[in-house]
Amino acid sequence: MTISSQPVAAISGAASGIGLALATLYARRGVRVIAGYYPDDPHDPAAAAAQVEAAGGEALWLPLDVADTASVDAFISQGVNHFGRLDYVIANAGILRCSPIEEMSDERWNAMLNVDLTGVMRCFRAAARHLGDGASLVAISSIAGGVYGWQEHAHYAAAKAAVPGICRSLAVELAPRGVRCNAVIPGLIETPQSLDKQNSLGPEGLAKAAKSIPLQRVGRPEDIARVVAFLTSAESSYLTGQSLIVDGGLTVR
Ligand code: NAD
């Protein structure tokens, strides 16, 4: 076990996109990382680990399936055993699958909610007993969950809509221990998820969408990572139970 005063952050879905950008940013800022990678995913955790290491950070990479309670519990406990503490938990892992309502089987619906909604709760539940004064939880929601209608994504919308509710409840429940909990609501961010043409916009769709975004570009994973890092830092010490929309102005135009 390594004991040090440097904070430790656990991140689900850390091998790509927003999770990888955040692990890299934390590495640069001296936050040690318990990085969860999904073994069934094509993203190469070795390449992600090399990127975080090159940023000067200390990271422990562990397999993680947020749809499986035993996997989440093992991820958190192995991370805490290794580093000796846990300060921040970022429930970032998520999936996106298109489904017209006529084809929305119970199985599809439940599989989505199991990852994008219950997966968030599992991460926070496993972490809760390790958290003390100054700790911070952040969950990644989506504009599709509240302020932006998107066809063929009813299950994704339902899961993402519920995430800020989890954060509001935990903000009140954990405040007496000095633990904060907030959600980040990204707009269109260029990551493997949004570049997937089959289930999301794909490269051409993103380029087209950029024109209707007031800031005239889609988001970069780093745009979200910096907001998450703000929410876990002492800079936001009086901010809890909130949901920050980070979308380049897409939903206010
Ligand atoms: P991404 O596909 O690069 O990242 C998602 C990560 O979750 C991947 O590393 C994947 O391996 C992991 N994952 C998938 N299933 C998992 C499971 N069962 N257990 C553990 N990990 C699992 O895409 P991203 O855009 O970086 O997504 C990060 C989060 O941001 C997701 O929750 C996503 O829904 C949300 N989001 C993304 C956008 C966008 O435009 N990209 C917009 C709003 C919200």
Side-chain angles (χ1 to χ4, degrees), residues 13 15-19 38 41 43 64-67 92-95 115-116 140-142 156 160 186-189 191-194:
S16 64
I18 294 167
Y38 185 49
D41 204 288
H43 307 306
L64 170 65
D65 178 1
V66 299
N92 164 74
I95 53 170
V115 175
D116 285 25
I140 307 299
S141 175
S142 166
Y156 183 74
K160 293 298 187 181
L188 296 174
I189 313 300
T191 68
Q193 184 182 91
S194 59

Short mmCIF file of all heavy atoms in Angstrom, two decimals, residues 13 15-19 38 41 43 64-67 92-95 115-116 140-142 156 160 186-189 191-194, ligand 1:
data_model
loop_
_atom_site.label_atom_id
_atom_site.label_comp_id
_atom_site.label_asym_id
_atom_site.label_seq_id
_atom_site.Cartn_x
_atom_site.Cartn_y
_atom_site.Cartn_z
N GLY A 13 -14.47 3.66 -16.96
CA GLY A 13 -14.37 3.94 -18.40
C GLY A 13 -13.20 4.84 -18.73
O GLY A 13 -13.32 5.77 -19.52
N ALA A 15 -10.30 4.19 -20.29
CA ALA A 15 -9.39 3.85 -21.39
C ALA A 15 -9.66 4.63 -22.67
O ALA A 15 -8.94 4.46 -23.66
CB ALA A 15 -9.45 2.35 -21.68
N SER A 16 -10.69 5.49 -22.69
CA SER A 16 -10.99 6.23 -23.92
C SER A 16 -11.75 7.51 -23.60
O SER A 16 -12.21 7.71 -22.47
CB SER A 16 -11.83 5.35 -24.86
OG SER A 16 -13.08 5.06 -24.25
N GLY A 17 -11.86 8.35 -24.62
CA GLY A 17 -12.73 9.52 -24.55
C GLY A 17 -12.53 10.41 -23.34
O GLY A 17 -11.40 10.75 -22.96
N ILE A 18 -13.65 10.77 -22.71
CA ILE A 18 -13.64 11.70 -21.58
C ILE A 18 -12.85 11.11 -20.40
O ILE A 18 -12.07 11.81 -19.75
CB ILE A 18 -15.09 12.03 -21.16
CG1 ILE A 18 -15.78 12.81 -22.28
CG2 ILE A 18 -15.13 12.79 -19.85
CD1 ILE A 18 -17.31 12.93 -22.15
N GLY A 19 -13.03 9.82 -20.13
CA GLY A 19 -12.34 9.18 -19.00
C GLY A 19 -10.84 9.23 -19.17
O GLY A 19 -10.11 9.53 -18.20
N TYR A 38 -12.74 -1.38 -19.44
CA TYR A 38 -13.74 -2.43 -19.70
C TYR A 38 -13.10 -3.48 -20.60
O TYR A 38 -12.79 -3.19 -21.76
CB TYR A 38 -14.96 -1.79 -20.36
CG TYR A 38 -16.12 -2.72 -20.58
CD1 TYR A 38 -16.58 -3.54 -19.55
CD2 TYR A 38 -16.78 -2.76 -21.81
CE1 TYR A 38 -17.66 -4.38 -19.75
CE2 TYR A 38 -17.86 -3.60 -22.02
CZ TYR A 38 -18.30 -4.41 -20.99
OH TYR A 38 -19.36 -5.25 -21.18
N ASP A 41 -14.12 -4.14 -24.28
CA ASP A 41 -14.09 -3.01 -25.21
C ASP A 41 -12.86 -3.08 -26.10
O ASP A 41 -11.80 -3.52 -25.65
CB ASP A 41 -14.06 -1.73 -24.37
CG ASP A 41 -14.59 -0.56 -25.14
OD1 ASP A 41 -13.88 -0.13 -26.05
OD2 ASP A 41 -15.70 -0.10 -24.85
N HIS A 43 -11.02 -0.62 -27.01
CA HIS A 43 -9.99 0.37 -26.65
C HIS A 43 -8.84 -0.34 -25.94
O HIS A 43 -9.05 -1.14 -25.04
CB HIS A 43 -10.55 1.45 -25.72
CG HIS A 43 -11.78 2.10 -26.25
ND1 HIS A 43 -11.81 2.69 -27.50
CD2 HIS A 43 -13.00 2.25 -25.73
CE1 HIS A 43 -13.03 3.17 -27.70
NE2 HIS A 43 -13.77 2.91 -26.66
N LEU A 64 -12.85 -3.42 -15.13
CA LEU A 64 -14.07 -2.96 -14.46
C LEU A 64 -15.27 -3.10 -15.38
O LEU A 64 -15.27 -2.61 -16.51
CB LEU A 64 -13.92 -1.48 -14.05
CG LEU A 64 -15.19 -0.79 -13.54
CD1 LEU A 64 -15.67 -1.43 -12.23
CD2 LEU A 64 -14.97 0.71 -13.34
N ASP A 65 -16.30 -3.78 -14.86
CA ASP A 65 -17.59 -3.81 -15.55
C ASP A 65 -18.61 -3.21 -14.59
O ASP A 65 -18.98 -3.83 -13.59
CB ASP A 65 -17.96 -5.27 -15.90
CG ASP A 65 -19.32 -5.37 -16.58
OD1 ASP A 65 -19.96 -4.32 -16.79
OD2 ASP A 65 -19.74 -6.50 -16.88
N VAL A 66 -19.09 -1.99 -14.90
CA VAL A 66 -20.01 -1.32 -13.97
C VAL A 66 -21.38 -1.99 -13.93
O VAL A 66 -22.20 -1.67 -13.07
CB VAL A 66 -20.16 0.19 -14.27
CG1 VAL A 66 -18.83 0.92 -14.15
CG2 VAL A 66 -20.81 0.44 -15.63
N ALA A 67 -21.62 -2.94 -14.85
CA ALA A 67 -22.89 -3.68 -14.84
C ALA A 67 -22.84 -4.84 -13.85
O ALA A 67 -23.83 -5.55 -13.68
CB ALA A 67 -23.20 -4.21 -16.23
N ASN A 92 -18.08 7.65 -14.96
CA ASN A 92 -18.02 8.14 -16.35
C ASN A 92 -18.44 7.09 -17.37
O ASN A 92 -18.97 7.43 -18.43
CB ASN A 92 -16.57 8.59 -16.63
CG ASN A 92 -16.28 8.74 -18.10
OD1 ASN A 92 -16.73 9.69 -18.74
ND2 ASN A 92 -15.53 7.78 -18.66
N ALA A 93 -18.26 5.82 -17.05
CA ALA A 93 -18.52 4.75 -18.04
C ALA A 93 -19.94 4.84 -18.56
O ALA A 93 -20.88 5.11 -17.81
CB ALA A 93 -18.28 3.38 -17.41
N GLY A 94 -20.09 4.61 -19.85
CA GLY A 94 -21.43 4.63 -20.42
C GLY A 94 -21.44 4.00 -21.80
O GLY A 94 -20.42 3.90 -22.47
N ILE A 95 -22.64 3.59 -22.22
CA ILE A 95 -22.82 3.05 -23.57
C ILE A 95 -23.96 3.81 -24.24
O ILE A 95 -24.80 4.42 -23.57
CB ILE A 95 -23.14 1.53 -23.56
CG1 ILE A 95 -24.32 1.23 -22.62
CG2 ILE A 95 -21.90 0.73 -23.19
CD1 ILE A 95 -24.84 -0.19 -22.73
N VAL A 115 -26.02 -0.30 -17.18
CA VAL A 115 -24.69 0.34 -17.30
C VAL A 115 -24.79 1.83 -16.97
O VAL A 115 -24.09 2.34 -16.08
CB VAL A 115 -24.12 0.15 -18.72
CG1 VAL A 115 -22.81 0.93 -18.89
CG2 VAL A 115 -23.90 -1.32 -19.02
N ASP A 116 -25.66 2.56 -17.68
CA ASP A 116 -25.63 4.02 -17.63
C ASP A 116 -26.29 4.61 -16.38
O ASP A 116 -26.04 5.77 -16.05
CB ASP A 116 -26.31 4.61 -18.89
CG ASP A 116 -25.40 4.49 -20.10
OD1 ASP A 116 -24.54 3.60 -20.13
OD2 ASP A 116 -25.55 5.29 -21.05
N ILE A 140 -21.30 11.46 -14.95
CA ILE A 140 -21.44 12.04 -16.29
C ILE A 140 -22.83 11.69 -16.83
O ILE A 140 -23.14 10.52 -17.08
CB ILE A 140 -20.35 11.52 -17.25
CG1 ILE A 140 -18.95 11.74 -16.66
CG2 ILE A 140 -20.49 12.24 -18.60
CD1 ILE A 140 -18.56 13.17 -16.39
N SER A 141 -23.65 12.71 -16.99
CA SER A 141 -24.99 12.57 -17.57
C SER A 141 -24.90 12.89 -19.07
O SER A 141 -23.88 12.59 -19.72
CB SER A 141 -25.95 13.50 -16.81
OG SER A 141 -27.22 13.48 -17.39
N SER A 142 -25.92 13.51 -19.63
CA SER A 142 -25.91 13.91 -21.05
C SER A 142 -27.05 14.90 -21.28
O SER A 142 -28.09 14.80 -20.62
CB SER A 142 -26.13 12.68 -21.94
OG SER A 142 -26.44 13.09 -23.26
N TYR A 156 -31.46 5.50 -23.29
CA TYR A 156 -30.30 6.34 -22.93
C TYR A 156 -30.79 7.60 -22.21
O TYR A 156 -30.25 7.99 -21.17
CB TYR A 156 -29.53 6.68 -24.20
CG TYR A 156 -28.26 7.49 -24.00
CD1 TYR A 156 -27.11 6.91 -23.48
CD2 TYR A 156 -28.20 8.84 -24.36
CE1 TYR A 156 -25.93 7.64 -23.33
CE2 TYR A 156 -27.04 9.58 -24.22
CZ TYR A 156 -25.90 8.98 -23.70
OH TYR A 156 -24.74 9.71 -23.56
N LYS A 160 -29.82 8.72 -18.42
CA LYS A 160 -29.06 9.96 -18.19
C LYS A 160 -29.89 11.00 -17.43
O LYS A 160 -29.35 11.82 -16.69
CB LYS A 160 -28.59 10.53 -19.53
CG LYS A 160 -27.54 9.67 -20.23
CD LYS A 160 -26.27 9.54 -19.40
CE LYS A 160 -25.15 8.82 -20.15
NZ LYS A 160 -23.93 8.67 -19.34
N PRO A 186 -22.62 16.72 -20.51
CA PRO A 186 -21.95 17.13 -21.75
C PRO A 186 -22.93 17.27 -22.90
O PRO A 186 -23.97 16.59 -22.96
CB PRO A 186 -20.98 15.97 -22.04
CG PRO A 186 -20.93 15.14 -20.79
CD PRO A 186 -22.26 15.34 -20.12
N GLY A 187 -22.56 18.14 -23.84
CA GLY A 187 -23.28 18.24 -25.12
C GLY A 187 -22.67 17.26 -26.09
O GLY A 187 -22.50 16.08 -25.76
N LEU A 188 -22.34 17.71 -27.29
CA LEU A 188 -21.73 16.82 -28.29
C LEU A 188 -20.21 16.88 -28.16
O LEU A 188 -19.60 17.93 -28.42
CB LEU A 188 -22.16 17.24 -29.69
CG LEU A 188 -23.65 17.11 -29.97
CD1 LEU A 188 -24.00 17.69 -31.33
CD2 LEU A 188 -24.08 15.64 -29.91
N ILE A 189 -19.63 15.78 -27.77
CA ILE A 189 -18.19 15.72 -27.53
C ILE A 189 -17.59 14.68 -28.48
O ILE A 189 -18.14 13.57 -28.60
CB ILE A 189 -17.89 15.30 -26.06
CG1 ILE A 189 -18.76 16.10 -25.06
CG2 ILE A 189 -16.40 15.44 -25.75
CD1 ILE A 189 -18.58 17.60 -25.08
N THR A 191 -15.71 11.83 -29.28
CA THR A 191 -15.10 10.68 -28.59
C THR A 191 -15.49 9.43 -29.39
O THR A 191 -16.34 9.51 -30.29
CB THR A 191 -15.67 10.51 -27.16
OG1 THR A 191 -17.04 10.11 -27.28
CG2 THR A 191 -15.57 11.77 -26.33
N PRO A 192 -14.92 8.27 -29.06
CA PRO A 192 -15.34 7.05 -29.76
C PRO A 192 -16.86 6.86 -29.74
O PRO A 192 -17.43 6.35 -30.71
CB PRO A 192 -14.62 5.95 -28.97
CG PRO A 192 -13.38 6.62 -28.46
CD PRO A 192 -13.80 8.03 -28.12
N GLN A 193 -17.53 7.30 -28.66
CA GLN A 193 -18.98 7.12 -28.59
C GLN A 193 -19.70 7.93 -29.67
O GLN A 193 -20.55 7.40 -30.39
CB GLN A 193 -19.51 7.53 -27.21
CG GLN A 193 -20.98 7.27 -27.05
CD GLN A 193 -21.52 7.72 -25.69
OE1 GLN A 193 -21.96 8.84 -25.52
NE2 GLN A 193 -21.47 6.82 -24.73
N SER A 194 -19.38 9.19 -29.82
CA SER A 194 -20.08 10.04 -30.79
C SER A 194 -19.58 9.80 -32.22
O SER A 194 -20.28 10.10 -33.18
CB SER A 194 -19.94 11.52 -30.42
OG SER A 194 -18.58 11.87 -30.37
P1 NAD B 1 -16.29 6.40 -24.81
O1 NAD B 1 -17.01 5.31 -25.51
O2 NAD B 1 -14.91 6.75 -25.26
O3 NAD B 1 -16.21 6.11 -23.25
C1 NAD B 1 -17.06 5.24 -22.56
C2 NAD B 1 -16.19 4.29 -21.76
O4 NAD B 1 -17.05 3.46 -20.96
C3 NAD B 1 -15.35 3.37 -22.64
O5 NAD B 1 -13.99 3.41 -22.23
C4 NAD B 1 -15.95 2.00 -22.40
O6 NAD B 1 -14.98 0.97 -22.44
C5 NAD B 1 -16.51 2.14 -21.01
N1 NAD B 1 -17.56 1.16 -20.72
C6 NAD B 1 -18.59 0.75 -21.53
N2 NAD B 1 -19.32 -0.18 -20.90
C7 NAD B 1 -18.75 -0.38 -19.68
C8 NAD B 1 -19.04 -1.21 -18.59
N3 NAD B 1 -20.08 -2.07 -18.60
N4 NAD B 1 -18.25 -1.14 -17.50
C9 NAD B 1 -17.19 -0.28 -17.45
N5 NAD B 1 -16.86 0.53 -18.47
C10 NAD B 1 -17.64 0.49 -19.57
O7 NAD B 1 -17.22 7.68 -24.91
P2 NAD B 1 -17.28 9.02 -24.04
O8 NAD B 1 -18.03 9.98 -24.87
O9 NAD B 1 -15.95 9.40 -23.50
O10 NAD B 1 -18.24 8.58 -22.84
C11 NAD B 1 -18.01 8.92 -21.49
C12 NAD B 1 -19.34 9.31 -20.85
O11 NAD B 1 -19.79 10.54 -21.40
C13 NAD B 1 -20.45 8.29 -21.09
O12 NAD B 1 -21.20 8.13 -19.90
C14 NAD B 1 -21.29 8.97 -22.15
O13 NAD B 1 -22.61 8.52 -22.17
C15 NAD B 1 -21.16 10.41 -21.73
N6 NAD B 1 -21.51 11.40 -22.75
C16 NAD B 1 -20.82 11.48 -23.93
C17 NAD B 1 -21.20 12.44 -24.87
C18 NAD B 1 -20.48 12.57 -26.19
O14 NAD B 1 -20.94 13.36 -27.05
N7 NAD B 1 -19.38 11.86 -26.42
C19 NAD B 1 -22.24 13.31 -24.60
C20 NAD B 1 -22.92 13.21 -23.40
C21 NAD B 1 -22.54 12.26 -22.48
#
